[in-house]
Every structure is written in structure tokens, then in C-alpha cells.
Amino acid sequence: MTIIFRIQYHTNWGENLRVLIDEKTTVELTTVDGYCWQGQTDYLPDTPVPLVTYRYEVWQDNCRIRREWGILPHILYITDTQERHYLVQDTWRDLPAASYRFSSAFCGENVSQRIETLPTPGNDTAIVIRALCPSNGKSTRILGITGNCKTLGNWGETAPLRMHEVKPNEWQVAIDATILPPDFTYKYVTLSPEDGSITEWEAHENRSITPPSLQPGETYVTPEEEVFFASESYKIAGCAIPVFSLRSEGSYGVGDFGDLKSFIRWAAHTHQRAVQVLPINDTTMTGTWTDSYPYSSISIYAFHPMYVDLRQLPALNDQASAITFEQKRNELNALPQVDYEAVNQWKRAYLKAIFQQEQDTVLNSNGFCEFYRENAEWLRPYAAFCYLRDKFQTPDFHQWQDYSTYHPETAEQLCTPDNEAYPETMFHCYVQYLLHVQLLDACNYGRKLGVIVKGDIPIGISRTSVEAWVEPYYFNMNGQAGAPPDAFSTKGQNWGMPTYNWKVMEKDNYQWWQRRFRKMANYFTAYRIDHILGFFRIWEIPIHSVHGLLGQFVPSLPMSVEEIESYGLHFQKDFMTRPFINDHMLDEMFGTRSQEVRDTFVRHEHHDIYSMRPEFDTQRKIEAYFAGRTDTESINLKEGLYALVSNVLFIPDRDNSTMYHPRIAVQNDYIYRQLTGQEQDAFNRLYNDYYYRRHNEFWYHEAMKKLPILTQATSMLVCGEDLGMVPDCVPWVMEQLQILSLEIQRMPKNPQDEFGHVHSYPFRSVCTIGTHDMSTFRGWWEEDRNVAARFFYHELGHWGNLPEHAPGWLCEDVVRRHLYSPSMLCILTWQDWLAMDEQLRNPDVTIERINVPANPKHYWRWRMHLTLENLIKQDAFNDKIRRMIDESGR
């Protein structure tokens, strides 16, 4: 059996094409014009089902420089393994034209898992037609083909040809070439499973094939064609809510995975087809409310123990304890917000009691043993980490004495039955097993109801986490990840997390990330990549800084002194790279306390110029000096001193101190004002080139090293949080990889717009009124009356007096406009849905905000003010949502 591959693909001088078959056999192709390529092999598949999968690759100097990276490889079903030649005609394909159709978000629970046998034509020559068509959740869909000849049913006059699903969503049919005309036209259709009649025609003009002349024993294989039907619908509406914010009559003061299942039921009840949650990973470090921050986890795999639904566990045999726990549950569940510390203390105690009661049964169960075996690679290190964290009363593994450096045998020993740590490590494994079972049940329930459950993958990890302990080589511990300044955080954001060592990650093809994504795919059918800009470049802040102003993009292209001066700006190292401090600054910034600053924190250099004293020359040193002082005067003084330290014009590159980066947002600081008008103009040209033009190609290639591999590691639908200081190359990559963008009217992508235009959002996007990092619509309405007025009159086009508070009819208008947007997904926060009903919504608009990004110590504790049981009974409100969604075509 011979397979001949043919493809048209433009190459550059020195490049050649190859075919990688079944990820193990390579076939070199040849060309005479650098465009038409051909090669052949006598390859024979060694699998029971004669399926051949393959991808095309471009090589140069014996190195692969690119390959087709889509999740769907080319498929060839071998109908006859004897003396037959397959002439395979192909086109280069990274992704289908609409790859979202093939994601688990839309193929859903009912995607066919069968592999059909492709019948062998009854003659020596044949034509194989290949098509890509997802089930779209319809397990009964059967694809057929009809055309302008008798063999193809004469455009439906007689029975069409039935195609065969040789792999989920991939269809083929083999036709006897002798009964086909030399060229023919055709269309794809769907067929009734009962009688094979046509139920729908594809939304495409007639297709045509003119096959080559075939010799006996030859089969011509056409390129795969993507098939669309008008009945397919991909515009959906949904709701975003943190799991911890859910409230039911039986929850334990915090939302849990049982509540998530109930919330999915409400979403489906109101015709919403998506539920989006915040990160659900374990963040337990200090045992205090500061652990409530969901974007700083101690494990990328383990879930937070507080999400266990205790109602699904066996009853406690100790009646007195059971009564105490129930009393505490009622007390905590009645609170308007999450009492993070109390909730975790009592739920952990309950889980401990159940574990001690049930451990022999559970640890020997088939379900637990299978879970432990399949997840041991991360589960044992996590359990060991939790045990040592509690033993040494700190998550900082550097303080764990003999355990400060991770060794695989350490985790294994701590998880063996004869080790004294065994009861504790197994307790943590037991809790993760419960979380796995309950989350899987909730997400499978979503699949059954046709509801996408969308997870959230944080960009960073905690520097005191399992991963930092086990795999420190993947991270740069001397840097802190964050974000440059924006309208919501004028000093930038410092998340405190280590940055990634992408060079090391690249060596094993980003396996760390691929494992992480695959774990999430066990549960979710879509996910949000938090801060997708971090895959292009991350804002890295020195370890000695508190604010984000002294950061630099990594990777980036720093500037030499010669390049800086080429803009017409004379470079003065001492003046431009060290904090500029003079008498005028001190008097203006500190007023009556300026002399105290002179005496304590700075030292006089010459004339009216000062420098920071060595004991206060970094923000961390200043932070340590003011530790424990919470009075307003101390806080203001500390912030002023931080500003002195960051008052520089250029920052030395972290890897090469002779290269420099212009300091972000420095035009607002004193040192910029010391420049002459000509120097300011030169600096601004340099600044704009550096931040908005210099890195586009560079960052494009950096992202394309990583994101194609990661986004194709699973079949989940990929959405990117592309907010902030967005380089021009980000839309290029997201368009090429078909990653859904995030569209928020208050944060327009066009800098010339004050508000985004909902009607012009791209289809491949997620639109929302606001996120967890923003105030709700009602809260935003009251923050700035001038902005609200411009929005009310200019963007919404209303007349009359500006309402003092956002009335229900206005909130409904904004919701409706989003539902009618072109965006594929319209996912609104639960608070913004409820805002439409003035009787149901929370009277206290201030309590509804989830997070304030400018505050790194924000307490994440918002909860629904209604129970899920009450929500499902709100017939009029639920009917309104259903009607609005249905009318909008979602």
C-alpha cells in the first residue's frame, strides 16, 4: 500500500516540507517550484482501526521551524490495505475556519465517540471525500452528500450518499470512481436517522470536484472541507459568579460545589448556557482572611477545601458534635458576607471528623484508589506540602529545615502508611478526592443540560506554593509579576508572584502548562486565560519594590545609551537612573513633615539635592520601617517615600545593567518636570516608540512559541482576558489562534472611544458589563456623575434628567444591548442580571463589589443576598431573563 501526499504551500529558500504520520513516521516531500510538494510512503497503520493521522511540517537545515498545530490532525481512513495507491490532496491547516465549533463547549456531552467503518468501494478506483462537521451536541446528526449525478442522488431526487464518522466530528465517504462523471458538483446535507431523508442542506454554495485520471488500484482523497449548517447556533448568554459567593439554605457560610450544581440548574432554567467562575484552587497559606485572594494558590491542581459540599457526606455518628456543627452552619450561613476564617476553621474541623469516622472505608474504596493512582504525581507533593505547612506553621518552605529543598522521596515517604504523617497527608488526599467527585458531578450536570462551565486559569502562582517548592527551575523568584499602571491602578499592580522562566519551559514543550490545562479539561468545557498579555510579556517588578512603577516588561528589548541619545536626549546616568529629590519636592509632597523626612529618610548631597539613606533606599525597606503602623499619617508618609524611590526616568535592565527601559508613566512625576521642553519632546518620542511600537514583532513571536501549544492541549473553548496596556500584536495572535477576546464597554479597545460600542464587538468575543475587578453597573453609575451622564446621554441616547441611582429599566436596557451584541458569549455578572429588578436586587450597592485591584489586601467575601432556593422561585424575574435571551437569538 502506497500513500502519495500532495500539497500546495509557499516556502522560503532553504525550507522543505515533511509529513509526520501518527507522530512517529516522517515522509520528506519534494518540489520543483517551491509551491507544489509531493512525497510518498509505503506506510501501513498498525492499529486495529486503519486510521492514519498526520500533520505537515516545515524544516530548514534539519530543524523543524513550524508545523500544523491545530487540535484536529488530518485523518485518512484506509479502506484497503492491499496493493492500493492513495493520492492524498491536502491544504495546510492549523485550525478549522471556525475552531470553536469543535470545542468541548459546543460539541458537549453528546459528541459521538463511535468510530464507524468506512465501506470499501466495489471497484479498483475510488474517490474519498473528507469533511469536518461537529455534532453541536446533536448525537443523532448524520452527514450525507448529494449532487448533480445519479450516484449522488441528483440533488435529492433519490437517496443521498451517507457519510461515515471515522473519528468524532470527522466524516468520510468512499465512492466508486467509475460511476462518477469526470467532474461533479455537490452539497453536504444532514440525514434523518430513521429513513435517511434530507433534513437540512448546508449553508454553502455548490462545491465541485474534478479528480485526476485514476489508474486501477488508485484512490483519490480530497482535502477536508469544513461544513456549516444554518441551524447551528453559537451565540449564548450566561452568568459569572465566584463559587464562594453562592448561597443556599444548606451551605456552610460559603458557596460549594453542590451550590454550583444548583446554580447551573437555575442558569439552564432561565435559558442561560454558560456559567463562569473564578479560580477555585487551594489558597490556604496563613489560615487568615488574606488567603481569600483566589488568584494566589498553593497548587495549580488542588481545589480549595472550603468548596466541599458537606451535605453530600455521611452523617456524623457523634450526635453532640453534629448538633454543634449544625448550629455553627446556621450562624455562618446567615451572615451577609463570607467569614473566611470561621468558615474554613469549622469546615476543616467537620471534614476531619468525617475523615476519622470514614477513613478506612474511603481509603480502601475503588474510587479513591483510582483517583490517588491517577493523580499521585501532584497529589502526594500537595499533601506533603500541606502537612509541612501546618507542622512548621508557615507556607514558606525555606523555613522547613531539612524539607526546604524538595525531594520526590520525601513526599512518597510522608504518604506511606507506616509514617507518622500518614493520617494528615491522607486527610488532604481525601479532601481532594471529595472535591474532584463533587466538581466533576456539577460540571457533568452542566454538560447534560447544555450549559458551558467556564473555569479561570490564573497567570501566576504563589512564591510559597507546591510548584515553587517542587519545580523552582520553572520560575524567576527574584521578580514579582504584576501589571503596569492603568485607570484603575495608577501605581501599577504588584501581585507578588514569581515570573516564569520561559526558556526552561520551552525545553520540554511547556509540559507544566499542558498538564495544568489538561487537569482543568477534566471538568470545564471553556476557560478564561487570566492576563493573557503575560504570555506575550509580563510586567516584572523588582523584589525590592512594593508598587508597580519600577517594573519592566520581560522579555523585552532594552535600549542602549547610544540609542537613547539618538532621539536627541542626552543621557545622564546619575540624574536619570537614581531617585531625583530636591527641596521643592520635599516641601510640596510632605508639607509640615518635610523636615522630618530630611532628618530621617534622606541625606543632603549638594545644593538642594538629596538622596535616600541606605536604610530606606528601597520600597521594601520603607515598608518594613512602617510595619504595624495603620494610622493615616503614617500611611501617607510611607506612600510619599515610596514615590521618592520611584522618581527615576530610566530603569536598568535586570540582565544587563548597561541597557535601560524608560520608566512607565514617568510623565506624572517630578523628574520629568526637570527636563526642558525639548528634552521632554525627545523623551516622549522615545517612550512612545518603546511602549507602543518597538516590541510588536518581538512579542508576537514570543506568544506564538507558547500559545499554539497550550491552546491546543485540550478541546476546551479558549477565552483571553486581554485588558490593560495591550500591544498591537495581541489581536494578531488572538485572531490567528481564534481565542475569544474580552469586550467591556467601560474599557474600550479603541483609545479614541470613551465607551465601547456594543453593536460593533467582534463575534469571536466575550462581552460583559463588568468583571470581578470592577464595580457593578449600579456601583459604577454612582462613582462619577459626569461619566455616568456622558454614558446616559451620548452612548445610550436617553433624554431627561439623569437618575441619581441606576433604575431597573436602565439596567435592563444595558443588559438587552449586550444580549443583542454580535459577541459569541454574553456573560454578565449575577449582580448585573439582578440589577434589572428593583425589588430583588441588593439595596446596598456598595457590598456587591467583589474586588478592588488597587488594594492588594482586599478581602474577597461577597455573597449572594438571595438563596438559590429563593432565586429559582422568582417566576417573573426568571421569565424575563428567558424572554430576553430568546428574543435576542441566544
Side-chain angles (χ1 to χ4, degrees), residues 564-633:
I564 291 171
E565 294 189 334
S566 72
Y567 285 86
L569 180 67
H570 177 57
F571 184 79
Q572 306 169 64
K573 182 176 180 180
D574 287 347
F575 166 61
M576 294 180 171
T577 65
R578 297 175 183 174
F580 175 81
I581 307 168
N582 65 9
D583 280 321
H584 173 71
M585 279 179 58
L586 296 177
D587 292 337
E588 185 172 315
M589 292 175 64
F590 299 99
T592 59
R593 302 192 71 174
S594 62
Q595 192 57 46
E596 178 187 351
V597 173
R598 289 183 180 92
D599 295 340
T600 308
F601 301 101
V602 300
R603 66 185 180 190
H604 183 257
E605 294 293 341
H606 60 83
H607 299 88
D608 68 338
I609 302 299
Y610 299 81
S611 64
M612 299 300 296
R613 294 180 185 267
E615 59 268 36
F616 301 111
D617 61 359
T618 72
Q619 292 180 345
R620 288 294 178 199
K621 291 178 181 179
I622 295 168
E623 179 185 51
Y625 178 81
F626 285 93
R629 302 188 197 183
T630 57
D631 60 286
T632 302
E633 285 193 1

Side-chain angles (χ1 to χ4, degrees), residues 17 50 97 136 262 299 490 616 734 831:
L17 256 59
N136 195 20
S262 298
S299 171
T490 56
F616 301 111
M734 294 183 70
Q831 302 97 302

Side-chain angles (χ1 to χ4, degrees), residues 56 83 97 206 346 382 458 602 611 718 747-748 785 827:
Y56 289 93
E83 292 300 320
N206 292 346
W346 283 93
Y382 165 77
V602 300
S611 64
V718 189
M747 297 185 71
R785 301 288 291 167
I827 301 182

Side-chain angles (χ1 to χ4, degrees), residues 791-809:
F791 182 77
F792 183 74
Y793 294 117
H794 299 153
E795 188 62 32
L796 299 184
H798 290 302
W799 297 90
N801 295 327
L802 182 73
E804 180 179 359
H805 307 290
W809 64 264

Side-chain angles (χ1 to χ4, degrees), residues 73-225:
H74 299 278
I75 297 290
L76 174 63
Y77 191 105
I78 305 299
T79 58
D80 185 355
T81 59
Q82 302 304 314
E83 292 300 320
R84 179 170 287 275
H85 296 275
Y86 287 85
L87 311 177
V88 180
Q89 188 67 50
D90 275 315
T91 56
W92 182 282
R93 189 190 75 230
D94 288 321
L95 290 174
S99 64
Y100 56 86
R101 303 167 68 228
F102 299 88
S103 70
S104 55
F106 293 113
C107 287
E109 164 130 324
N110 295 323
V111 67
S112 173
Q113 294 302 317
R114 67 182 184 273
I115 294 180
E116 296 184 274
T117 300
L118 190 63
T120 303
N123 206 297
D124 281 345
T125 58
I127 295 175
V128 172
I129 298 177
R130 299 182 290 177
L132 303 175
C133 185
S135 65
N136 195 20
K138 301 175 182 179
S139 60
T140 56
R141 170 176 283 172
I142 299 174
L143 200 62
I145 186 171
T146 187
N148 66 341
C149 62
K150 180 178 179 182
T151 302
L152 301 181
N154 284 321
W155 296 118
E157 289 183 7
T158 57
L161 284 183
R162 184 189 187 282
M163 300 192 74
H164 301 271
E165 197 171 13
V166 298
K167 197 175 181 182
N169 307 320
E170 307 208 25
W171 301 78
Q172 296 187 13
V173 62
I175 311 172
D176 182 351
T178 62
I179 58 175
L180 285 169
D183 56 75
F184 55 91
T185 57
Y186 62 99
K187 274 183 180 290
Y188 294 100
V189 294
T190 60
L191 308 178
S192 165
E194 284 78 25
D195 59 10
S197 61
I198 297 174
T199 56
E200 186 175 6
W201 295 67
E202 69 167 315
H204 194 283
E205 66 266 17
N206 292 346
R207 304 174 188 265
S208 62
I209 291 179
T210 303
S213 298
L214 299 176
Q215 301 301 313
E218 289 186 336
T219 295
Y220 175 68
V221 183
T222 67
E224 296 107 330
E225 298 177 306

Side-chain angles (χ1 to χ4, degrees), residues 655-692:
D655 298 322
N656 185 347
S657 60
T658 65
M659 306 287 282
Y660 300 92
H661 308 264
R663 207 215 76 188
I664 192 81
V666 73
Q667 290 89 340
N668 300 320
D669 274 3
Y670 284 91
I671 192 169
Y672 178 78
R673 300 176 206 166
Q674 307 307 308
L675 302 178
T676 66
Q678 184 178 356
E679 288 173 330
Q680 288 181 354
D681 289 342
F683 180 82
N684 288 337
R685 289 197 306 274
L686 174 154
Y687 184 95
N688 291 332
D689 280 347
Y690 178 88
Y691 281 110
Y692 300 106

